[in-house]
């Protein structure tokens, strides 16, 4: 019996910022939750899923989602070491997100062949990335680092930089971020309440994802 060939890997997206107005930030403790959770998010209209590398299950979860959920664009978050870049891409990550950056980490992400969002929280960090040819960034921790007022103040002198703010953002504040001209999307976990995940209430996750997907981002993400 001849086995069917495996499908060719999907190409990476051109940009993380253009996938959806909201990127769910997911912490997976149990690999068994990965596929149903991702299916619920995709069914709700949120295809870009950032699985944070904070748990031992993360890399396996990324692999399961990449293989079993065709509509998902799964990526790795909390990438803080160059070695994690290769591991995440090998597992199936189609984008990378870091809470911060160094030159060594930046070069590893650049060499990965997938889009990436290095984290910034100051104007100097933004300028340093622009100097290195990087225009798309994660703004983290968004609320603690100045929120919408800070991002709005950056849009004048640094209009070429675009951001995915993450950190402390919920359904009430997300629209204010998405209204900014330099914001492409936001990251958050409010569509994944702990009690719903613990109960494996994927219907509730899908409903919350659908509400988040209905948001629009500065006319650029949808």
């Amino acid at each position: 019996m001849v086995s069917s060939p495996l499908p060719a890997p999907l190409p990476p997206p051109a940009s993380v910022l253009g996938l959806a107005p909201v990127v769910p930030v997911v912490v997976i403790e149990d690999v068994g939750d990965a596929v149903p959770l991702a299916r619920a998010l995709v069914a709700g209209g949120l295809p870009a899923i950032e699985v944070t590398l904070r748990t031992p299950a993360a890399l396996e979860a990324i692999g399961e989602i990449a293989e079993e959920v065709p509509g998902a664009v799964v990526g790795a978050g909390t990438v803080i070491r160059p070695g994690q870049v290769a591991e995440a891409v090998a597992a199936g990550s189609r984008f990378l997100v870091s809470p911060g950056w160094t030159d060594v980490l930046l070069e590893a992400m650049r060499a990965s062949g997938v889009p990436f969002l290095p984290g910034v929280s100051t104007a100097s960090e933004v300028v340093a990335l622009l100097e290195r040819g990087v225009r798309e960034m994660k703004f983290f921790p968004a609320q603690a680092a100045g929120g919408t007022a800070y991002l709005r103040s950056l849009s004048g002198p640094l209009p070429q930089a675009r951001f995915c703010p993450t950190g402390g953002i919920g359904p009430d504040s997300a629209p204010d971020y998405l209204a900014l001209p330099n914001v492409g999307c936001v990251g958050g976990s409010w569509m994944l309440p702990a009690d719903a995940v613990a109960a494996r209430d994927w219907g509730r996750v899908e409903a919350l994802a659908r509400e988040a997907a209905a948001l629009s981002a500065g006319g650029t993400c949808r």
Side-chain angles (χ1 to χ4, degrees), residues 4 7 10 14 23-24 26 30 36 39 50 64-65 68 95 118 130-131 136 146 151 162 174 177 180 198 202 217:
S4 300
L10 293 171
V23 177
V26 182
D30 184 341
R39 285 176 175 159
E50 177 189 334
E64 291 286 322
I65 294 170
E68 301 292 338
F95 64 89
L130 291 173
E131 188 178 75
E136 297 186 348
L151 283 174
R162 297 184 70 234
Y177 282 96
L180 298 175
W202 308 127

PDB file of all heavy atoms in Angstrom, residues 4 7 10 14 23-24 26 30 36 39 50 64-65 68 95 118 130-131 136 146 151 162 174 177 180 198 202 217:
ATOM      1  N   SER A   4      -0.212   8.222   1.041  1.00  0.00           N
ATOM      2  CA  SER A   4      -0.381   9.505   0.369  1.00  0.00           C
ATOM      3  C   SER A   4       0.717  10.458   0.801  1.00  0.00           C
ATOM      4  O   SER A   4       1.118  10.471   1.966  1.00  0.00           O
ATOM      5  CB  SER A   4      -1.744  10.109   0.725  1.00  0.00           C
ATOM      6  OG  SER A   4      -2.784   9.250   0.321  1.00  0.00           O
ATOM      7  N   PRO A   7       0.989  16.930   2.546  1.00  0.00           N
ATOM      8  CA  PRO A   7       0.796  18.194   1.831  1.00  0.00           C
ATOM      9  C   PRO A   7       2.008  19.097   1.991  1.00  0.00           C
ATOM     10  O   PRO A   7       2.698  19.064   3.007  1.00  0.00           O
ATOM     11  CB  PRO A   7      -0.441  18.801   2.504  1.00  0.00           C
ATOM     12  CG  PRO A   7      -0.508  18.153   3.850  1.00  0.00           C
ATOM     13  CD  PRO A   7       0.038  16.760   3.658  1.00  0.00           C
ATOM     14  N   LEU A  10       2.570  25.253   3.928  1.00  0.00           N
ATOM     15  CA  LEU A  10       2.041  26.511   3.431  1.00  0.00           C
ATOM     16  C   LEU A  10       3.110  27.590   3.502  1.00  0.00           C
ATOM     17  O   LEU A  10       3.932  27.601   4.424  1.00  0.00           O
ATOM     18  CB  LEU A  10       0.826  26.930   4.260  1.00  0.00           C
ATOM     19  CG  LEU A  10      -0.413  26.042   4.124  1.00  0.00           C
ATOM     20  CD1 LEU A  10      -1.448  26.442   5.167  1.00  0.00           C
ATOM     21  CD2 LEU A  10      -0.989  26.112   2.736  1.00  0.00           C
ATOM     22  N   ALA A  14       2.722  37.233   4.249  1.00  0.00           N
ATOM     23  CA  ALA A  14       3.577  38.380   3.952  1.00  0.00           C
ATOM     24  C   ALA A  14       3.765  39.256   5.179  1.00  0.00           C
ATOM     25  O   ALA A  14       4.811  39.869   5.371  1.00  0.00           O
ATOM     26  CB  ALA A  14       2.985  39.185   2.803  1.00  0.00           C
ATOM     27  N   VAL A  23      -5.039  39.157  17.212  1.00  0.00           N
ATOM     28  CA  VAL A  23      -4.254  37.927  17.257  1.00  0.00           C
ATOM     29  C   VAL A  23      -4.399  37.335  18.655  1.00  0.00           C
ATOM     30  O   VAL A  23      -3.906  37.924  19.628  1.00  0.00           O
ATOM     31  CB  VAL A  23      -2.769  38.189  16.951  1.00  0.00           C
ATOM     32  CG1 VAL A  23      -1.956  36.905  17.079  1.00  0.00           C
ATOM     33  CG2 VAL A  23      -2.605  38.784  15.555  1.00  0.00           C
ATOM     34  N   PRO A  24      -5.081  36.207  18.800  1.00  0.00           N
ATOM     35  CA  PRO A  24      -5.183  35.587  20.123  1.00  0.00           C
ATOM     36  C   PRO A  24      -3.809  35.161  20.639  1.00  0.00           C
ATOM     37  O   PRO A  24      -3.016  34.550  19.901  1.00  0.00           O
ATOM     38  CB  PRO A  24      -6.074  34.364  19.876  1.00  0.00           C
ATOM     39  CG  PRO A  24      -6.792  34.650  18.599  1.00  0.00           C
ATOM     40  CD  PRO A  24      -5.839  35.469  17.784  1.00  0.00           C
ATOM     41  N   VAL A  26      -2.101  32.758  23.098  1.00  0.00           N
ATOM     42  CA  VAL A  26      -2.553  31.502  23.687  1.00  0.00           C
ATOM     43  C   VAL A  26      -1.454  30.865  24.524  1.00  0.00           C
ATOM     44  O   VAL A  26      -0.311  30.725  24.054  1.00  0.00           O
ATOM     45  CB  VAL A  26      -2.986  30.522  22.576  1.00  0.00           C
ATOM     46  CG1 VAL A  26      -3.505  29.227  23.177  1.00  0.00           C
ATOM     47  CG2 VAL A  26      -4.042  31.165  21.682  1.00  0.00           C
ATOM     48  N   ASP A  30      -2.071  21.890  28.042  1.00  0.00           N
ATOM     49  CA  ASP A  30      -2.394  20.521  27.651  1.00  0.00           C
ATOM     50  C   ASP A  30      -2.444  20.450  26.135  1.00  0.00           C
ATOM     51  O   ASP A  30      -3.273  21.123  25.498  1.00  0.00           O
ATOM     52  CB  ASP A  30      -3.754  20.133  28.246  1.00  0.00           C
ATOM     53  CG  ASP A  30      -4.140  18.683  27.984  1.00  0.00           C
ATOM     54  OD1 ASP A  30      -3.568  18.060  27.072  1.00  0.00           O
ATOM     55  OD2 ASP A  30      -5.034  18.181  28.684  1.00  0.00           O
ATOM     56  N   PRO A  36      -8.720  21.616  19.246  1.00  0.00           N
ATOM     57  CA  PRO A  36     -10.076  22.161  19.388  1.00  0.00           C
ATOM     58  C   PRO A  36     -10.089  23.656  19.689  1.00  0.00           C
ATOM     59  O   PRO A  36     -10.972  24.384  19.220  1.00  0.00           O
ATOM     60  CB  PRO A  36     -10.682  21.338  20.529  1.00  0.00           C
ATOM     61  CG  PRO A  36      -9.528  20.721  21.242  1.00  0.00           C
ATOM     62  CD  PRO A  36      -8.471  20.529  20.212  1.00  0.00           C
ATOM     63  N   ARG A  39      -9.376  25.374  16.386  1.00  0.00           N
ATOM     64  CA  ARG A  39     -10.544  25.287  15.501  1.00  0.00           C
ATOM     65  C   ARG A  39     -11.625  26.272  15.909  1.00  0.00           C
ATOM     66  O   ARG A  39     -12.292  26.877  15.053  1.00  0.00           O
ATOM     67  CB  ARG A  39     -11.081  23.861  15.514  1.00  0.00           C
ATOM     68  CG  ARG A  39     -10.225  22.881  14.717  1.00  0.00           C
ATOM     69  CD  ARG A  39     -10.741  21.458  14.828  1.00  0.00           C
ATOM     70  NE  ARG A  39      -9.985  20.552  13.957  1.00  0.00           N
ATOM     71  CZ  ARG A  39      -9.927  19.242  14.112  1.00  0.00           C
ATOM     72  NH1 ARG A  39     -10.586  18.656  15.120  1.00  0.00           N
ATOM     73  NH2 ARG A  39      -9.230  18.504  13.276  1.00  0.00           N
ATOM     74  N   GLU A  50      -1.192  33.045  18.104  1.00  0.00           N
ATOM     75  CA  GLU A  50       0.140  33.099  18.705  1.00  0.00           C
ATOM     76  C   GLU A  50       0.180  32.175  19.921  1.00  0.00           C
ATOM     77  O   GLU A  50      -0.441  32.444  20.936  1.00  0.00           O
ATOM     78  CB  GLU A  50       0.473  34.532  19.130  1.00  0.00           C
ATOM     79  CG  GLU A  50       1.818  34.661  19.840  1.00  0.00           C
ATOM     80  CD  GLU A  50       2.033  36.038  20.444  1.00  0.00           C
ATOM     81  OE1 GLU A  50       1.445  37.018  19.943  1.00  0.00           O
ATOM     82  OE2 GLU A  50       2.796  36.128  21.437  1.00  0.00           O
ATOM     83  N   GLU A  64       0.759  20.439  16.282  1.00  0.00           N
ATOM     84  CA  GLU A  64      -0.580  19.865  16.140  1.00  0.00           C
ATOM     85  C   GLU A  64      -1.503  20.820  15.387  1.00  0.00           C
ATOM     86  O   GLU A  64      -2.260  20.412  14.504  1.00  0.00           O
ATOM     87  CB  GLU A  64      -1.161  19.548  17.518  1.00  0.00           C
ATOM     88  CG  GLU A  64      -0.476  18.413  18.248  1.00  0.00           C
ATOM     89  CD  GLU A  64      -0.822  17.059  17.654  1.00  0.00           C
ATOM     90  OE1 GLU A  64      -1.983  16.861  17.254  1.00  0.00           O
ATOM     91  OE2 GLU A  64       0.080  16.199  17.580  1.00  0.00           O
ATOM     92  N   ILE A  65      -1.448  22.096  15.734  1.00  0.00           N
ATOM     93  CA  ILE A  65      -2.303  23.081  15.068  1.00  0.00           C
ATOM     94  C   ILE A  65      -1.924  23.205  13.596  1.00  0.00           C
ATOM     95  O   ILE A  65      -2.785  23.242  12.710  1.00  0.00           O
ATOM     96  CB  ILE A  65      -2.208  24.440  15.778  1.00  0.00           C
ATOM     97  CG1 ILE A  65      -2.793  24.341  17.192  1.00  0.00           C
ATOM     98  CG2 ILE A  65      -2.934  25.535  14.976  1.00  0.00           C
ATOM     99  CD1 ILE A  65      -2.531  25.559  18.058  1.00  0.00           C
ATOM    100  N   GLU A  68      -3.219  19.944  11.873  1.00  0.00           N
ATOM    101  CA  GLU A  68      -4.615  19.521  11.971  1.00  0.00           C
ATOM    102  C   GLU A  68      -5.641  20.626  11.724  1.00  0.00           C
ATOM    103  O   GLU A  68      -6.838  20.329  11.583  1.00  0.00           O
ATOM    104  CB  GLU A  68      -4.874  18.918  13.364  1.00  0.00           C
ATOM    105  CG  GLU A  68      -4.012  17.714  13.698  1.00  0.00           C
ATOM    106  CD  GLU A  68      -4.358  16.496  12.853  1.00  0.00           C
ATOM    107  OE1 GLU A  68      -5.489  16.454  12.342  1.00  0.00           O
ATOM    108  OE2 GLU A  68      -3.484  15.624  12.691  1.00  0.00           O
ATOM    109  N   PHE A  95       4.918  32.459  11.895  1.00  0.00           N
ATOM    110  CA  PHE A  95       5.380  33.786  12.274  1.00  0.00           C
ATOM    111  C   PHE A  95       5.948  33.703  13.685  1.00  0.00           C
ATOM    112  O   PHE A  95       5.739  32.716  14.404  1.00  0.00           O
ATOM    113  CB  PHE A  95       4.281  34.845  12.168  1.00  0.00           C
ATOM    114  CG  PHE A  95       3.116  34.659  13.102  1.00  0.00           C
ATOM    115  CD1 PHE A  95       3.116  35.210  14.379  1.00  0.00           C
ATOM    116  CD2 PHE A  95       1.992  33.953  12.699  1.00  0.00           C
ATOM    117  CE1 PHE A  95       2.034  35.047  15.239  1.00  0.00           C
ATOM    118  CE2 PHE A  95       0.902  33.793  13.542  1.00  0.00           C
ATOM    119  CZ  PHE A  95       0.923  34.345  14.817  1.00  0.00           C
ATOM    120  N   PRO A 118       9.334  41.943  16.499  1.00  0.00           N
ATOM    121  CA  PRO A 118      10.138  42.174  17.701  1.00  0.00           C
ATOM    122  C   PRO A 118       9.456  43.191  18.597  1.00  0.00           C
ATOM    123  O   PRO A 118       8.811  44.126  18.119  1.00  0.00           O
ATOM    124  CB  PRO A 118      11.460  42.718  17.140  1.00  0.00           C
ATOM    125  CG  PRO A 118      11.097  43.306  15.822  1.00  0.00           C
ATOM    126  CD  PRO A 118       9.915  42.549  15.299  1.00  0.00           C
ATOM    127  N   LEU A 130      13.886  50.553  12.964  1.00  0.00           N
ATOM    128  CA  LEU A 130      13.765  51.184  11.651  1.00  0.00           C
ATOM    129  C   LEU A 130      15.127  51.292  10.976  1.00  0.00           C
ATOM    130  O   LEU A 130      15.254  51.081   9.766  1.00  0.00           O
ATOM    131  CB  LEU A 130      13.126  52.564  11.789  1.00  0.00           C
ATOM    132  CG  LEU A 130      11.641  52.591  12.194  1.00  0.00           C
ATOM    133  CD1 LEU A 130      11.196  54.033  12.449  1.00  0.00           C
ATOM    134  CD2 LEU A 130      10.769  51.948  11.133  1.00  0.00           C
ATOM    135  N   GLU A 131      16.141  51.607  11.764  1.00  0.00           N
ATOM    136  CA  GLU A 131      17.511  51.696  11.243  1.00  0.00           C
ATOM    137  C   GLU A 131      17.974  50.365  10.667  1.00  0.00           C
ATOM    138  O   GLU A 131      18.779  50.318   9.740  1.00  0.00           O
ATOM    139  CB  GLU A 131      18.434  52.143  12.387  1.00  0.00           C
ATOM    140  CG  GLU A 131      19.847  52.472  11.978  1.00  0.00           C
ATOM    141  CD  GLU A 131      20.650  52.956  13.180  1.00  0.00           C
ATOM    142  OE1 GLU A 131      21.027  52.104  14.014  1.00  0.00           O
ATOM    143  OE2 GLU A 131      20.847  54.178  13.311  1.00  0.00           O
ATOM    144  N   GLU A 136       7.628  46.607  11.149  1.00  0.00           N
ATOM    145  CA  GLU A 136       6.484  46.050  11.872  1.00  0.00           C
ATOM    146  C   GLU A 136       6.962  45.505  13.202  1.00  0.00           C
ATOM    147  O   GLU A 136       7.919  44.716  13.249  1.00  0.00           O
ATOM    148  CB  GLU A 136       5.812  44.965  11.031  1.00  0.00           C
ATOM    149  CG  GLU A 136       5.244  45.520   9.731  1.00  0.00           C
ATOM    150  CD  GLU A 136       4.447  44.492   8.953  1.00  0.00           C
ATOM    151  OE1 GLU A 136       4.515  43.287   9.295  1.00  0.00           O
ATOM    152  OE2 GLU A 136       3.758  44.882   7.986  1.00  0.00           O
ATOM    153  N   GLY A 146       2.243  52.986  28.087  1.00  0.00           N
ATOM    154  CA  GLY A 146       1.707  54.274  27.645  1.00  0.00           C
ATOM    155  C   GLY A 146       0.441  54.191  26.831  1.00  0.00           C
ATOM    156  O   GLY A 146      -0.177  55.222  26.542  1.00  0.00           O
ATOM    157  N   LEU A 151       1.279  55.516  21.587  1.00  0.00           N
ATOM    158  CA  LEU A 151       1.337  55.132  20.174  1.00  0.00           C
ATOM    159  C   LEU A 151       0.928  56.288  19.267  1.00  0.00           C
ATOM    160  O   LEU A 151       1.512  56.483  18.195  1.00  0.00           O
ATOM    161  CB  LEU A 151       0.440  53.921  19.927  1.00  0.00           C
ATOM    162  CG  LEU A 151       0.999  52.582  20.390  1.00  0.00           C
ATOM    163  CD1 LEU A 151      -0.048  51.484  20.223  1.00  0.00           C
ATOM    164  CD2 LEU A 151       2.252  52.215  19.606  1.00  0.00           C
ATOM    165  N   ARG A 162       4.756  50.414  12.207  1.00  0.00           N
ATOM    166  CA  ARG A 162       3.410  49.912  12.468  1.00  0.00           C
ATOM    167  C   ARG A 162       3.484  48.862  13.564  1.00  0.00           C
ATOM    168  O   ARG A 162       4.478  48.139  13.684  1.00  0.00           O
ATOM    169  CB  ARG A 162       2.783  49.340  11.200  1.00  0.00           C
ATOM    170  CG  ARG A 162       2.603  50.392  10.121  1.00  0.00           C
ATOM    171  CD  ARG A 162       1.880  49.832   8.908  1.00  0.00           C
ATOM    172  NE  ARG A 162       0.491  49.551   9.202  1.00  0.00           N
ATOM    173  CZ  ARG A 162      -0.092  48.373   9.003  1.00  0.00           C
ATOM    174  NH1 ARG A 162       0.607  47.346   8.518  1.00  0.00           N
ATOM    175  NH2 ARG A 162      -1.371  48.189   9.300  1.00  0.00           N
ATOM    176  N   ALA A 174      -9.576  47.552  22.993  1.00  0.00           N
ATOM    177  CA  ALA A 174      -9.089  47.166  21.660  1.00  0.00           C
ATOM    178  C   ALA A 174      -9.539  48.122  20.567  1.00  0.00           C
ATOM    179  O   ALA A 174      -8.721  48.502  19.705  1.00  0.00           O
ATOM    180  CB  ALA A 174      -9.508  45.734  21.339  1.00  0.00           C
ATOM    181  N   TYR A 177      -7.258  51.179  20.259  1.00  0.00           N
ATOM    182  CA  TYR A 177      -5.976  50.879  19.620  1.00  0.00           C
ATOM    183  C   TYR A 177      -6.147  50.715  18.113  1.00  0.00           C
ATOM    184  O   TYR A 177      -5.365  51.242  17.317  1.00  0.00           O
ATOM    185  CB  TYR A 177      -5.381  49.593  20.202  1.00  0.00           C
ATOM    186  CG  TYR A 177      -4.725  49.755  21.544  1.00  0.00           C
ATOM    187  CD1 TYR A 177      -5.402  49.479  22.720  1.00  0.00           C
ATOM    188  CD2 TYR A 177      -3.396  50.182  21.647  1.00  0.00           C
ATOM    189  CE1 TYR A 177      -4.800  49.624  23.959  1.00  0.00           C
ATOM    190  CE2 TYR A 177      -2.777  50.330  22.876  1.00  0.00           C
ATOM    191  CZ  TYR A 177      -3.479  50.049  24.030  1.00  0.00           C
ATOM    192  OH  TYR A 177      -2.872  50.199  25.254  1.00  0.00           O
ATOM    193  N   LEU A 180      -6.122  53.667  15.662  1.00  0.00           N
ATOM    194  CA  LEU A 180      -4.903  54.423  15.407  1.00  0.00           C
ATOM    195  C   LEU A 180      -4.334  54.084  14.034  1.00  0.00           C
ATOM    196  O   LEU A 180      -4.330  52.920  13.620  1.00  0.00           O
ATOM    197  CB  LEU A 180      -3.857  54.125  16.485  1.00  0.00           C
ATOM    198  CG  LEU A 180      -4.228  54.516  17.919  1.00  0.00           C
ATOM    199  CD1 LEU A 180      -3.154  54.040  18.885  1.00  0.00           C
ATOM    200  CD2 LEU A 180      -4.415  56.029  18.031  1.00  0.00           C
ATOM    201  N   ALA A 198     -10.713  25.812  30.733  1.00  0.00           N
ATOM    202  CA  ALA A 198     -10.700  24.703  31.690  1.00  0.00           C
ATOM    203  C   ALA A 198     -11.882  23.769  31.476  1.00  0.00           C
ATOM    204  O   ALA A 198     -11.759  22.546  31.606  1.00  0.00           O
ATOM    205  CB  ALA A 198     -10.708  25.244  33.120  1.00  0.00           C
ATOM    206  N   TRP A 202     -15.589  25.208  23.962  1.00  0.00           N
ATOM    207  CA  TRP A 202     -15.085  25.778  22.718  1.00  0.00           C
ATOM    208  C   TRP A 202     -16.148  26.606  22.010  1.00  0.00           C
ATOM    209  O   TRP A 202     -15.822  27.504  21.225  1.00  0.00           O
ATOM    210  CB  TRP A 202     -14.555  24.673  21.817  1.00  0.00           C
ATOM    211  CG  TRP A 202     -13.571  23.774  22.502  1.00  0.00           C
ATOM    212  CD1 TRP A 202     -13.604  22.416  22.593  1.00  0.00           C
ATOM    213  CD2 TRP A 202     -12.382  24.165  23.233  1.00  0.00           C
ATOM    214  NE1 TRP A 202     -12.536  21.939  23.325  1.00  0.00           N
ATOM    215  CE2 TRP A 202     -11.771  22.983  23.729  1.00  0.00           C
ATOM    216  CE3 TRP A 202     -11.786  25.397  23.521  1.00  0.00           C
ATOM    217  CZ2 TRP A 202     -10.593  22.996  24.482  1.00  0.00           C
ATOM    218  CZ3 TRP A 202     -10.611  25.416  24.284  1.00  0.00           C
ATOM    219  CH2 TRP A 202     -10.033  24.232  24.751  1.00  0.00           C
ATOM    220  N   ALA A 217      -9.378  47.465  11.997  1.00  0.00           N
ATOM    221  CA  ALA A 217      -8.120  48.122  12.367  1.00  0.00           C
ATOM    222  C   ALA A 217      -7.748  49.210  11.378  1.00  0.00           C
ATOM    223  O   ALA A 217      -7.237  48.929  10.314  1.00  0.00           O
ATOM    224  CB  ALA A 217      -7.011  47.087  12.444  1.00  0.00           C
TER     225      ALA A 217
END
